Amino acid sequence: MKYINQLDYPNEIYVTMQEMSEAEREEGKKTTVANSGCGLCSSIMVADRLIPNCNFGLQDAIKLSYETGANLYRGTNYKVYAPAFAKKLNF
């Protein structure tokens, strides 16, 4: 069983449409899986538990979030991401 902890990915960029102050933009603050990827990590664990030998990983989850526009604010919009995730994995 996979266990994916978002805090293990402090350097994995996950661009979200988070509102940032001008000072934060100037200092180059980035959103990462560690601070915005709990939904992504949860979906990977769901896939692992429900599909034997599933290879759906972090890069797949990030890509799906970007493709669907689910990377809203400081996280993942599950109203957008979940149906796309279910379709991708044939749930």
Side-chain angles (χ1 to χ4, degrees):
M1 180 171 113
K2 282 185 186 176
Y3 173 72
I4 307 294
N5 183 335
Q6 75 187 75
L7 299 178
D8 291 339
Y9 302 94
N11 299 313
E12 183 70 44
I13 300 298
Y14 176 47
V15 179
T16 62
M17 295 175 233
Q18 173 181 317
E19 293 180 10
M20 291 187 206
S21 70
E22 190 169 327
E24 288 173 320
R25 282 192 296 274
E26 286 177 9
E27 72 181 38
K29 183 176 181 180
K30 302 272 191 252
T31 53
T32 65
V33 170
N35 62 25
S36 298
C38 59
L40 302 178
C41 293
S42 296
S43 71
I44 295 164
M45 292 184 284
V46 166
D48 177 67
R49 294 303 296 155
L50 296 179
I51 302 172
N53 303 313
C54 183
N55 292 321
F56 188 80
L58 185 57
Q59 293 307 314
D60 301 309
I62 291 170
K63 181 180 177 189
L64 182 61
S65 180
Y66 291 163
E67 288 173 351
T68 60
N71 55 321
L72 294 174
Y73 302 106
R74 190 171 182 175
T76 306
N77 181 337
Y78 252 68
K79 287 183 180 182
V80 175
Y81 182 85
F85 171 74
K87 183 177 179 179
K88 182 166 188 70
L89 296 176
N90 298 313
F91 289 150

